[in-house]
Amino acid sequence: MCGIVGYIGHREAYPIIIKGLQRLEYRGYDSAGIALYDGSDIKLSKTKGKVVDLKDKLESEISTIGSLGIGHTRWATHGVPNDVNSHPHYSNSGDLVIIHNGIIENYDALKKELIKRGYVFKSDTDTEVLVNLIEDVKRNEDIKLGKAVQIALNQVVGAYAIAVFDKNKPNEIVVARLGSPLAIGIGEDEFFIASDASPFIEFTKNAIYLEDEEMAIVRRGKEVKIRKIKNDALVDPYVQELQLNLEQIEKGGYDHFMLKEIYEQPEAIKDTFRGRLLSKEAMVKLAGVEDNMKKFLAADRIIVVACGTSWHAGLVSEYIFEDLARIPVEVEYASEFRYRNPVITEKDIVIAISQSGETADTLAAIKLAKSRGAFVFGVCNVVGSSIARETDAGAYTHAGPEIGVASTKAFTTQITVLTLMALRLARAKGTISSSEFRHHLIELELIPDKVEEALKSDAFVQTISDIYKDATNFLYLGRGFNFPVALEGALKLKEISYIHAEGYPAAEMKHGPIALIDEQMPVVVIATKKGHYEKVVSNIQEIKSRKGKIIGIVTKGDKSVKELADHVIEVPETIECLTPLLTTIPLQLLSYHIAVMLGKNVDQPRNLAKSVTVE
Ligand code: F6R
């Protein structure tokens, strides 16, 4: 996690860095800091808290002048969030200053060695060890900063994206990456450094994304020099044209990014299937699947690896792939999978799902699967992300930037891509008739309008939120395709409102959770017409007889649940396998409104970060 920003050029660095950090706060927000070179010395200010706290402190503490600077917004790994542990960190001499995203695993051994050599440490961070290691190498070998960084990094075990500069050489910033993203924006005689392109999108559309084990020397007015950290080989820079625009990364009149992203879902889903779902031709076109059709058809099974909300989308896909394409599916938490000794063969297809494309556990699971011969297919949102590059093939979700920490449009667009994949494979395998296939395409094409309709429940969901906002526990129940939606609804509530919530398959309730039900317990039950409807109605009756408060998510026009439930929220009718795309909408809104009413920071919930690049 953590966000890093740097600037070197002809403009004032401070406004670019502070704004850039605000855009990167989704990556971490427990402390922040900036170091500027003012023409003669480094000026540094840092603080526990958010970027806005830094802004107040910094502007009263130091001069903001300077056309070279680096900044950091942190999600603590080593050392509690406090002023001292915040980045940037100085080296002992005060000549070097560094920002770092990642973890140096062997920092303790390195620190002991440096202490023996007389270095003293102010913070508990691994980063301060790294900057002093660089200083030590530089001093002992009397070499330039770039070379010293390279030698030091070859002694380091772990993950990093770093930016470091030397006040005696204020014309360059040295950057490097292993396992954490780092982009260099190329302007006219100016360079921007950042964890993603959002901090510099209004200045340039040209960017270089460093690959793992690469470092670059970014010199004022010169070309960027990229080298391999291990063997010093020069690398030809590949300059990409960015598709991102400013509007996409701003709130556009909404109070929170989360709400904006919930409302963007109709468009996002359309973007996901644009050019891929061809209902008139009765075709699904997904280049990544088409190019590897032989492998997909020969596969014994699909293993899905993912974390959090992406894992829930994977779980929905288990039902969809098995139902439509008759392929056995196993859905694995990437963090568990990577440390087991899983049985993987060359006849397995691994699908890795990730919004950010940077999740460390998912990345490690991919590497493990590849090392055992599996073909790995990525479903990512962020174009050019580590997972997108590490996988053998893939399909982007094209949801646009998701900035709210709680994932919303990523979930529905992941389900959309996975449904398209299942449909394509079902057709190729002949497990679905041509009329059924066509019917599914038509129904999927109608989903954006139906999501739009589901969003109309917003005001009513707000009323319900007001009634239940003080509850201390929630239960979410669903069956079949909607069991993962129950898990996702509970996760959304937990992460942004800090209310304890559990998701369960509705029929499992009687094996334990039913003991929790009393008149204080709100139970959200997904009870759409298609899919075990009568059975779920029986479950609702069981809750009712124990005086639980029932919030039913039902198909428009439903009568039976209405009679039993305290409240019902209607969603439009669709075919069973597509119901998760609709039932999830009121659950997103419910968690959003409760969190807002409780005064929580919806877009930046405590202890969380958008992109989990540490294990
Ligand atoms: C929940 C949430 C997380 C992510 C998880 C995986 O709202 O956002 O649970 O889903 O950290 O992240 P990605 O999809 O980026 O791999």
Side-chain angles (χ1 to χ4, degrees):
M1 343 268 232
C2 305
I4 65 174
V5 188
Y7 177 79
I8 185 164
H10 46 79
R11 301 175 207 253
E12 287 299 317
Y14 173 66
I16 296 167
I17 295 173
I18 198 89
K19 204 178 209 183
L21 290 180
Q22 267 158 348
R23 289 189 192 152
L24 289 181
E25 257 189 322
Y26 74 86
R27 303 181 63 83
Y29 35 79
D30 58 39
S31 47
I34 290 179
L36 299 164
Y37 180 73
D38 71 356
S40 56
D41 207 350
I42 297 170
K43 295 283 182 293
L44 189 151
S45 179
K46 52 191 191 174
T47 187
K48 175 176 182 221
K50 301 211 181 304
V51 176
V52 64
D53 304 314
L54 171 69
K55 190 168 185 295
D56 291 344
K57 185 173 181 226
L58 184 145
E59 289 173 14
S60 67
E61 222 171 56
I62 62 169
S63 134
T64 59
I65 289 171
S67 57
L68 160 62
I70 54 178
H72 188 268
T73 178
R74 180 168 187 248
W75 186 86
T77 54
H78 288 71
V80 292
N82 61 26
D83 292 4
V84 178
N85 288 335
S86 313
H87 301 209
H89 288 282
Y90 278 119
S91 63
N92 271 196
S93 69
D95 287 352
L96 308 186
V97 69
I98 194 169
I99 47 175
H100 167 215
N101 167 28
I103 291 185
I104 308 300
E105 286 168 13
N106 58 340
Y107 86 105
D108 200 31
L110 294 169
K111 188 172 182 175
K112 284 185 182 131
E113 265 310 302
L114 289 165
I115 289 172
K116 275 193 214 151
R117 296 215 273 275
Y119 285 84
V120 287
F121 291 89
K122 296 194 183 93
S123 75
D124 309 316
T125 64
D126 48 348
T127 308
E128 198 187 4
V129 175
L130 179 58
V131 71
N132 281 307
L133 178 65
I134 296 169
E135 175 152 294
D136 193 55
V137 172
K138 187 171 178 301
R139 186 180 289 158
N140 290 341
E141 308 210 7
D142 192 21
I143 47 178
K144 288 187 179 157
L145 178 62
K147 196 73 205 161
V149 168
Q150 187 181 21
I151 294 171
L153 290 180
N154 275 309
Q155 296 177 35
V156 153
V157 179
Y160 49 79
I162 59 162
V164 53
F165 73 86
D166 179 349
K167 73 171 183 187
N168 304 308
K169 279 272 190 157
N171 277 323
E172 66 180 32
I173 303 179
V174 178
V175 298
R177 115 158 233 182
L178 175 63
S180 302
L182 198 141
I184 305 171
I186 319 283
E188 288 274 318
D189 291 331
E190 60 181 347
F191 297 104
F192 307 82
I193 288 148
S195 301
D196 69 33
S198 62
F200 54 78
I201 195 66
E202 64 264 56
F203 301 105
T204 178
K205 291 271 187 213
N206 297 322
I208 297 169
Y209 287 87
L210 282 196
E211 296 285 343
D212 272 347
E213 301 189 339
E214 285 181 358
M215 57 178 291
I217 300 182
V218 182
R219 277 203 189 101
R220 208 188 291 266
K222 298 261 170 57
E223 294 209 322
V224 176
K225 276 249 162 67
I226 303 178
R227 288 184 183 279
K228 290 277 176 206
I229 296 167
K230 277 211 176 112
N231 62 10
D232 202 39
L234 263 178
V235 176
D236 267 348
Y238 169 59
V239 181
Q240 283 189 32
E241 196 178 324
L242 301 169
Q243 301 302 321
L244 194 67
N245 62 51
L246 199 55
E247 228 171 65
Q248 288 175 301
I249 56 167
E250 291 188 334
K251 281 191 204 147
Y254 287 92
D255 288 342
H256 299 95
F257 281 111
M258 183 181 176
L259 190 62
K260 176 181 175 236
E261 288 154 9
I262 290 174
Y263 271 86
E264 277 173 350
Q265 289 176 106
E267 273 313 302
I269 294 170
K270 264 188 218 158
D271 289 343
T272 305
F273 62 57
R274 182 162 298 124
R276 293 164 160 176
L277 188 170
L278 310 169
S279 58
K280 281 202 191 100
E281 294 91 328
M283 268 170 79
V284 166
K285 270 193 184 168
L286 282 162
V289 174
E290 231 52 64
D291 296 348
N292 297 287
M293 189 54 94
K294 262 195 184 154
K295 285 201 175 81
F296 274 102
L297 294 181
D300 282 341
R301 62 173 177 168
I302 290 174
I303 304 171
V304 174
V305 291
C307 303
T309 289
S310 296
W311 185 83
H312 294 155
L315 213 51
V316 175
S317 83
E318 176 178 11
Y319 288 82
I320 300 178
F321 277 115
E322 294 196 349
D323 185 42
L324 296 178
R326 310 301 300 144
I327 307 175
V329 178
E330 282 166 33
V331 187
E332 301 268 1
Y333 285 115
S335 53
E336 288 297 316
F337 180 81
R338 65 179 288 192
Y339 286 119
R340 283 214 322 268
N341 186 9
V343 179
I344 310 168
T345 75
E346 285 172 10
K347 292 193 81 187
D348 286 327
I349 300 242
V350 171
I351 301 181
I353 310 173
S354 174
Q355 187 287 129
S356 63
E358 301 295 342
T359 301
D361 285 323
T362 310
L363 204 49
I366 292 169
K367 287 181 181 161
L368 173 68
K370 275 174 82 176
S371 73
R372 302 208 175 166
F375 171 77
V376 185
F377 190 92
V379 174
C380 291
N381 188 35
V382 177
V383 176
S385 55
S386 302
I387 292 176
R389 284 183 301 189
E390 190 65 40
T391 41
D392 297 308
Y396 284 116
T397 49
H398 297 308
E402 190 181 67
I403 292 166
V405 164
S407 207
T408 51
K409 62 177 179 172
F411 180 65
T412 44
T413 54
Q414 285 163 348
I415 295 174
T416 304
V417 164
L418 293 159
T419 305
L420 287 172
M421 286 178 72
L423 282 167
R424 178 66 192 97
L425 295 178
R427 200 67 205 106
K429 289 184 72 181
T431 52
I432 189 172
S433 70
S434 63
S435 64
E436 265 179 297
F437 179 70
R438 203 179 275 266
H439 181 56
H440 277 73
L441 296 189
I442 292 166
E443 285 292 335
L444 184 53
E445 209 165 24
L446 292 173
I447 285 294
D449 288 344
K450 293 186 179 180
V451 171
E452 199 85 65
E453 205 182 321
L455 284 166
K456 293 196 180 125
S457 65
D458 196 358
F460 181 52
V461 175
Q462 207 166 338
T463 312
I464 296 177
S465 306
D466 199 31
I467 301 172
Y468 295 105
K469 63 179 187 305
D470 298 317
T472 44
N473 296 290
F474 268 74
L475 208 53
Y476 286 72
L477 303 176
R479 289 189 84 145
F481 293 90
N482 282 299
F483 155 54
V485 178
L487 296 180
E488 174 60 8
L491 175 63
K492 285 290 86 89
L493 187 72
K494 278 186 267 217
E495 66 182 329
I496 61 170
S497 70
Y498 319 146
I499 295 173
H500 172 246
E502 284 192 56
Y504 259 91
E508 271 294 302
M509 184 181 63
K510 55 188 168 298
H511 299 288
I514 199 163
L516 294 167
I517 295 174
D518 60 15
E519 58 275 17
Q520 309 299 329
M521 175 71 93
V523 187
V524 180
V525 190
I526 306 162
T528 47
K529 268 274 149 58
K530 309 250 168 61
H532 320 293
Y533 178 70
E534 281 77 23
K535 304 230 177 273
V536 180
V537 171
S538 305
N539 297 140
I540 291 176
Q541 253 147 356
E542 288 156 13
I543 303 164
K544 180 114 186 130
S545 46
R546 281 150 190 95
K547 299 194 171 60
K549 299 281 179 277
I550 299 156
I551 304 165
I553 312 296
V554 300
T555 309
K556 198 172 172 181
D558 177 280
K559 294 219 170 58
S560 309
V561 178
K562 211 174 220 164
E563 280 173 15
L564 295 169
D566 296 84
H567 321 270
V568 291
I569 305 168
E570 293 189 338
V571 294
E573 187 163 2
T574 183
I575 51 174
E576 190 184 356
C577 69
L578 300 181
T579 51
L581 292 167
L582 303 178
T583 52
T584 196
I585 304 296
L587 305 192
Q588 294 169 345
L589 290 169
L590 184 69
S591 63
Y592 171 78
H593 288 301
I594 290 180
V596 171
M597 286 170 189
L598 294 177
K600 306 297 183 211
N601 188 337
V602 171
D603 283 335
Q604 296 170 350
R606 72 183 178 203
N607 305 338
L608 290 173
K610 184 78 187 154
S611 149
V612 187
T613 56
V614 293
E615 61 170 289

